[in-house]
């Protein structure tokens, strides 16, 4: 059956001016610059290690590094001594002539090149303490002191230290399928991270002389060897974090006997380090799913922190299939815990904190840990480890397997502002969430910050919104990234930039990828397709080492959505979104052609016949329209259409619409980033109607796109992206009729 809408829009196709044929002049050829071109020019070639679908291939391998470590903390001198046995398993097809070990503490050593690689400028006004710190104080003794590297028979092994990396030369190459064990002995002086900076160290409480230690990067750690780069032995300059192989850890940690500790892994000697009452409280916590149980009470912690025991106690932890190890210890710690029920297992949510963190931490931390595990597990896979620990460490936010340090405390009177509480909850979600990315889905942080920080910030945003409290998320909402994306291009880099080359680290590595994924989920793909593909990625690469290509390919492979245009624009460029309304024209039905149409020659049909008669659509303000006063003419009053309607049955007539108003809207794209066009029509009676045009509307390299609306009600307003879903940097061109906008970021 023919449709009226076909008749209404025929004039645009049927009329054309005849022009004399001209021979086109010779022109220069052009290269493919279409933003919908596939990403073969950007992605690594699929192979037997990583296939074209974004999954591990049949030849995929990864190395394993197992550790047996004994360390001791000298609390009075803030010194750590350690000895470790590393067993390195070569699962690659290559023979290895040497091994690379990371010495990340050397980034703070006297001979570190990190300060030399940063520009410096003179500050003309200093507080006295700041002047003394910068110009008067001697450099502190920091970094690893390697005392010995030996094989298991006690023979010295040849090694070379290159700043934050150490090469161990092997007497004979390590063949595929074999392993080697060797011993390293070391010590280093622990930093006060509040004064010196750093991702770990100690916090000094001057009132009572106690310290909270958050210890990480504390042992020489194996570098990654894989099919992508061979050895990942890029130096640690301070921004790019860590690339590490999985392995098993058995760690003995000797500390003052009055300390309370948490660390990566299962505590193997709980009855030796806790009192019988505390052990019973822990057993109760393992059955408490609705609220935390306090294991070490505030009263117990306050009593302990008044003394400084000269005795020692050794805590024994064992962790399987983890990539790293972290420790938190202090005599100031309160400890609480609760059980978390996941779909296939239970896990423990744990918090340790000083009295200075209460009541905020006792009321909030462990509950937030539990919420995070539930939210992330629902979107990826059930949290596989036995516990997740949140440690109160002011001025910190850092993550390790099963344990993380988080800032946010009440003031001295125990009062917590809403801003402080939200900040603390946000950082707990973020750092606990890092257990999934990159502690389990083990991407290379040294190369690609966004693969852990960006994906995790996106997951954090979803977890925050699932709290159901209108949580004020900083990263994720599209409108929040607009100031960055509209900034000076001199200070912007693509997301696909190495961690050390990024000028605006937080915006580039955290904010922009989180926003991109949120837009991908909400606006481009839809939640069902996105959530399935994202879960496929997480499960394909849990306990493995994915690359950016693996993520990009999996998201397409599991959804049947072509996303090359999206990843090319959002991740490989600094283009921005700016889509506007360029022009709006209103048309009216007519039985009389305008002068322009009368002067045009009717295009003949396929077999030469005249395809008329026609229904004409006349643009407003046209002379014919005014002369005939057809402005109020209804569609069914046009004789041609009226006659046509008489040929239809009542049933056929019931399927037809009755439009009275006709508009042609031209959209333009001042910005370079391709995005769908989201349009909201507001009618004169105040009702609204929304349309979504896929990004493919721009697929032919066009800078403008047109859409025709045939409506029963007059349109009062047209607005693009009314809910600010696309990160459009300039909303002043988003409405018709044009409206004054106070700020383009609103």
């Amino acid at each position: 059956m023919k449709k009226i809408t076909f008749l209404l829009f025929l004039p645009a196709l049927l009329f054309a001016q005849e022009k004399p044929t001209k021979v086109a002049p010779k022109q220069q050829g052009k290269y493919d610059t279409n933003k919908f071109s596939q990403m073969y020019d950007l992605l690594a070639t699929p192979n037997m290690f990583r296939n074209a679908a974004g999954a591990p291939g049949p030849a995929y391998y990864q190395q394993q590094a197992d550790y047996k470590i004994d360390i001791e903390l000298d609390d009075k001198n803030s010194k750590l001594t350690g000895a470790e046995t590393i067993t390195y398993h070569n699962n690659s097809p290559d023979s290895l002539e040497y091994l690379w070990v990371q010495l990340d503490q050397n980034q703070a050593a006297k001979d570190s090149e990190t300060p030399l690689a940063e520009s410096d400028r003179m500050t003309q006004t200093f507080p006295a303490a700041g002047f003394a710190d910068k110009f008067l104080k001697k450099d502190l003794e920091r970094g690893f002191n390697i005392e010995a590297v030996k094989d298991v028979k006690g023979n010295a092994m040849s090694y070379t230290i290159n700043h934050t990396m150490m090469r161990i030369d092997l007497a004979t190459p390590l063949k595929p399928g074999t392993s080697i064990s060797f011993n390293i002995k070391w010590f280093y002086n622990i930093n006060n991270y509040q004064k010196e900076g750093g991702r770990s160290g100690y916090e000094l409480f001057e009132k009572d002389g106690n310290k909270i230690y958050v210890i990480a990067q504390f042992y020489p750690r194996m570098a990654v060897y894989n099919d992508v780069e061979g050895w990942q032995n890029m130096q640690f300059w301070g921004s790019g974090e860590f690339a590490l192989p999985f392995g098993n850890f058995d760690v003995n940690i000797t500390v003052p006997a009055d300390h309370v500790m948490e660390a990566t892994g299962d505590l193997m000697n709980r009855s030796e380090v806790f009192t019988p009452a505390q052990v019973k409280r822990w057993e109760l916590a393992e059955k408490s799913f609705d609220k935390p149980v306090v294991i070490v009470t505030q009263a117990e912690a306050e009593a302990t922190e008044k003394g400084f025991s000269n005795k020692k106690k050794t805590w024994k932890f064992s962790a399987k299939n983890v990539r790293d190890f972290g420790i938190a210890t202090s005599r100031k710690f309160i400890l609480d815990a609760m059980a978390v029920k996941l779909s296939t297992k239970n896990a423990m949510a744990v918090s340790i904190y000083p009295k200075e963190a209460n009541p905020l931490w006792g009321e909030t931390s462990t509950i937030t840990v539990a919420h995070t595990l539930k939210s992330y597990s629902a979107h990826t896979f059930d949290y596989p480890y036995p516990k997740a620990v949140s440690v109160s460490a002011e001025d910190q936010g850092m993550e390790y397997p099963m344990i993380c340090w988080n800032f946010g405390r009440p003031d001295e009177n125990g009062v917590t502002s809403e801003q402080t509480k939200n900040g603390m909850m946000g950082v707990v979600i973020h750092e606990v969430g890092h257990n999934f990315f990159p502690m389990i889905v083990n991407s290379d942080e040294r190369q690609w910050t966004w693969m852990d920080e960006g994906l995790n910030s996106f997951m954090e945003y979803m977890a925050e919104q699932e709290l159901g409290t209108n949580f004020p998320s900083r990263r994720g909402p599209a409108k929040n990234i607009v100031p960055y994306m509209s900034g000076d291009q001199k200070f912007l880099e693509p997301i696909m930039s190495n961690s050390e080359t990024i000028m605006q680290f937080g915006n580039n590595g955290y904010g922009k990828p989180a926003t991109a994924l949120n837009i991908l989920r909400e606006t481009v793909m839809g939640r069902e397709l996105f959530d399935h593909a994202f879960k496929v990625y997480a499960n394909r690469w849990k306990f493995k080492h994915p690359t950016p290509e693996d993520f990009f390919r999996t998201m397409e492979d599991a959804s049947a959505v072509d996303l090359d245009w999206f990843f090319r624009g959002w991740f490989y460029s600094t283009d921005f979104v700016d889509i506007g309304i360029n022009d709006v024209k209103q048309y009216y039905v007519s039985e009389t052609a305008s002068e322009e149409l009368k002067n045009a020659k009717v295009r003949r049909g396929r077999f030469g016949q005249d395809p008329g008669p026609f229904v004409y659509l006349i643009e407003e303000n046209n002379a014919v329209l005014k002369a005939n006063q057809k402005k109020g003419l209804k569609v069914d009053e046009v004789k041609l259409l009226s006659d046509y309607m008489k040929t239809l049955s009542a049933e056929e007539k019931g399927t037809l619409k009755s439009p009275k108003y006709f508009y042609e809207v031209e959209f333009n794209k001042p910005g370079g980033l391709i995005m769908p066009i989201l349009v909201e029509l507001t009618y004169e009676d105040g009702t609204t109607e929304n349309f979504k045009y896929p990004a493919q509307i721009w697929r032919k390299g066009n800078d403008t796109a047109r859409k025709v609306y045939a409506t029963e009600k007059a349109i009062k307003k047209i607005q693009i992206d009314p809910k600010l879903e696309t990160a459009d940097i300039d909303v002043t061109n988003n409405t018709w009729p044009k409206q004054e906008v106070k700020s383009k970021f609103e």
Side-chain angles (χ1 to χ4, degrees), residues 12 56 71 136 147 286 299 396 399 433 442 500 523 548 572 577 605 643 646 652 717 733 742:
I71 63 171
L136 303 183
E147 296 183 303
E286 291 179 314
Q396 279 286 340
E399 71 280 355
N442 190 7
E500 297 297 343
T523 305
Y572 287 88
V577 180
D643 291 344
K646 293 175 183 177
E652 289 174 321
K717 178 184 176 183
N733 59 357
K742 293 181 181 180

Side-chain angles (χ1 to χ4, degrees), residues 519-531:
I519 291 174
L520 199 58
R521 182 177 191 248
E522 301 290 347
T523 305
V524 176
M525 298 177 69
R527 292 187 178 185
E528 183 178 357
L529 287 174
F530 178 94
D531 289 352

Side-chain angles (χ1 to χ4, degrees), residues 516 556 584 683:
E556 287 191 337
V584 178
Y683 299 108

Side-chain angles (χ1 to χ4, degrees), residues 464-515:
E464 289 171 348
Q465 297 309 299
E466 290 167 5
L467 287 168
T469 58
N470 294 318
F471 192 91
S473 297
R474 294 173 53 228
R475 293 174 174 134
K479 65 180 181 179
N480 291 2
I481 202 64
V482 167
Y484 170 69
M485 294 185 70
S486 60
D488 191 333
Q489 287 284 331
K490 292 187 298 184
F491 304 106
L492 304 180
E493 303 87 16
I495 292 175
M496 284 293 293
S497 298
N498 178 264
S499 303
E500 297 297 343
T501 67
I502 300 170
M503 283 182 275
Q504 298 187 54
F505 200 80
N507 284 321
N508 180 289
Y510 295 65
K512 187 179 176 184
T515 301

Side-chain angles (χ1 to χ4, degrees), residues 65-82:
D66 297 330
Y67 299 83
K68 294 185 180 297
I69 307 175
D70 293 283
I71 63 171
E72 182 169 344
L73 171 67
D74 179 348
D75 185 27
K76 293 181 180 179
N77 297 303
S78 300
K79 182 179 179 180
L80 194 76
T81 58

